[in-house]
Amino acid sequence: MPCSMFKLLIRPLLFLLPAETAHHFTLGLLKIILMVPGKKAIFRWLYCVNENRLNKTIFGLNFPNPVGLAAGFDKNAEYIDELACLGFGFIEIGTVTPLPQPGNEQPRLFRLPKDNALINRMGFNNDGAEKIAQRLKQRKSKIIVGGNIGKNKQTPNEKAVNDYVKCFDILFDHVDYFVVNVSSPNTPGLRELQEKAPLLHILNTLQLRNNARPARKPVLLKIAPDLSQEQLNDILEIVQASKIDGIIATNTTISREELKTEKTALEKIGAGGLSGKPVKEKSTNVLQYLYENSNQQIPLIGVGGIFSPKDAKEKIEAGAALLQVYTGFIYEGPALVKKICNELLQRER
């Protein structure tokens, strides 16, 4: 489906529905369509770019292309086989917590069409690590899957490390890499775990368990775009000290600066993390700072405001080894990944 058709016909209809309803409806419909014999092959022909020049080996994993789907889109690993037909080089599930939890009250996902943005306060709604692990066992596609892990809302911060360890142990045999999420603004107090001492404790504990395994898994850290330069320097020290494998820059922002959406509408929506075009510059600045101040030694995944091949190029030039999309995928449609991959191929000629 070309981007123009999606924007003119499909998106306006989906945007008539509440955001979360539209999300579940679309993924459910995709699953039904791809049950029809031959449809998966057609979707792969439409959306996948199979070209060896796109292959990238990062932290020991061979990615068929550098464009991934960010965490939050397929929280419960229900649609991996279907999403693998849309051209992604990898998919990140979660955020997964040890115990199932419903998340925050609905509505909790909001569109800001004037800003090409979303605000969410989902609150780590997920089926829990055990159920998600069982679902991962049953997937058929070989696409690289990352496990984004967090703590349950009721777990106090001083015991947060236990939740990360539980998720790590339960998911270890079923994902290709891990992401430690301490940067969501939608779990009370979670971002306090980005401070140096608690974060180093969590990462060191996970690394001890990781290194005790016969074959370890890459561990990454997902950070907020709202960190100060001093905090980013702390992050670089923590990564070096814990010897984790990379950083995802960035999660959503709590900022509401320079939005076109009316202030009254924003006040009505209330709290939540902002994603999409408004976070692009802030995320790219964080990415570039980390790249330049790590002597280009830390693999970085760039996410935040990627709506076009041009946006993807900016992230790569700022230091991203890999990319992730989420809000741009919702606004631009399934052809976005192929467009980015084709542009990356053009650059190599």
Side-chain angles (χ1 to χ4, degrees):
M1 185 193 305
C3 264
S4 56
M5 187 187 297
F6 175 82
K7 287 184 181 179
L8 288 172
L9 298 176
I10 308 299
R11 190 176 76 183
L13 293 174
L14 290 174
F15 276 30
L16 292 173
L17 298 171
E20 193 169 350
T21 303
H23 180 78
H24 292 303
F25 171 78
T26 305
L27 286 173
L29 183 61
L30 179 66
K31 187 180 275 284
I32 291 167
I33 290 170
L34 292 181
M35 285 178 181
V36 179
K39 285 292 185 183
K40 284 187 178 180
I42 293 170
F43 269 63
R44 290 190 194 102
W45 175 75
L46 283 171
Y47 298 117
C48 297
V49 181
N50 297 311
E51 172 59 65
N52 289 337
R53 286 182 294 151
L54 289 170
N55 293 177
K56 298 201 80 171
T57 300
I58 311 290
F59 37 77
L61 298 175
N62 184 35
F63 295 84
N65 75 64
V67 188
L69 182 63
F73 199 91
D74 187 12
K75 287 176 176 289
N76 291 309
E78 295 176 283
Y79 304 100
I80 290 173
D81 292 336
E82 291 75 23
L83 291 167
C85 297
L86 299 183
F88 293 106
F90 61 107
I91 292 169
E92 195 170 304
I93 62 153
T95 296
V96 181
T97 56
L99 300 175
Q101 60 181 29
N104 295 320
E105 289 184 11
Q106 297 188 35
R108 55 195 179 182
L109 181 62
F110 308 88
R111 304 183 194 95
L112 276 58
K114 291 180 181 177
D115 294 288
N116 285 289
L118 297 172
I119 290 176
N120 92 81
R121 53 170 176 272
M122 304 300 287
F124 287 177
N125 56 305
N126 74 103
D127 292 340
E130 292 283 2
K131 190 168 184 179
I132 291 170
Q134 290 302 315
R135 209 170 274 143
L136 287 166
K137 275 185 189 178
Q138 295 164 8
R139 70 184 180 97
K140 295 178 177 64
S141 62
K142 301 298 183 185
I143 193 166
I144 290 174
V145 174
N148 187 299
I149 58 176
K151 78 173 189 73
N152 281 111
K153 183 177 181 180
Q154 302 304 323
T155 303
N157 278 2
E158 57 270 22
K159 294 184 179 178
V161 65
N162 299 330
D163 278 14
Y164 288 96
V165 166
K166 286 175 189 172
C167 285
F168 184 83
D169 287 345
I170 293 167
L171 296 178
F172 189 89
D173 292 329
H174 312 293
V175 298
D176 298 291
Y177 70 89
F178 283 94
V179 179
V180 175
N181 187 354
V182 289
S183 53
S184 169
N186 302 316
T187 296
L190 185 76
R191 285 192 169 189
E192 294 169 14
L193 295 175
Q194 289 181 121
E195 296 299 324
K196 199 168 186 178
L199 182 52
L200 195 54
H201 177 51
I202 291 169
L203 296 177
N204 281 339
T205 303
L206 290 177
Q207 286 287 67
L208 280 171
R209 298 183 83 81
N210 198 15
N211 294 330
R213 300 267 184 165
R216 67 182 301 280
K217 297 280 172 80
V219 175
L220 288 76
L221 173 67
K222 188 166 187 176
I223 64 170
D226 308 307
L227 298 179
S228 67
Q229 203 169 96
E230 183 181 355
Q231 288 173 311
L232 290 175
N233 290 336
D234 283 345
I235 293 293
L236 290 172
E237 288 180 20
I238 288 165
V239 170
Q240 188 175 24
S242 61
K243 294 182 172 58
I244 63 166
D245 301 84
I247 301 173
I248 299 183
T250 65
N251 212 320
T252 57
T253 180
I254 55 174
S255 171
R256 300 290 187 267
E257 293 175 8
E258 298 180 11
L259 294 179
K260 296 172 186 173
T261 302
E262 295 81 2
K263 200 169 183 179
T264 51
L266 293 171
E267 288 171 354
K268 188 176 179 183
I269 289 171
L274 175 73
S275 63
K277 283 195 176 179
V279 80
K280 183 181 80 166
E281 187 176 350
K282 186 177 280 198
S283 294
T284 303
N285 289 341
V286 168
L287 180 72
Q288 187 161 12
Y289 185 87
L290 295 172
Y291 182 69
E292 291 175 352
N293 288 275
S294 65
N295 296 318
Q296 306 170 16
Q297 295 302 305
I298 300 171
L300 303 171
I301 299 180
V303 54
I306 299 175
F307 279 64
S308 68
K310 180 176 177 289
D311 297 332
K313 181 184 171 187
E314 287 176 10
K315 296 286 188 195
I316 291 168
E317 288 175 347
L322 300 169
L323 307 168
Q324 287 181 332
V325 296
Y326 184 122
T327 307
F329 183 63
I330 290 170
Y331 275 87
E332 298 297 315
L336 177 62
V337 179
K338 188 173 186 177
K339 284 175 69 177
I340 292 171
C341 287
N342 282 334
E343 178 66 24
L344 294 177
L345 287 172
Q346 290 291 327
R347 287 179 65 204
E348 290 189 5
R349 286 185 178 177

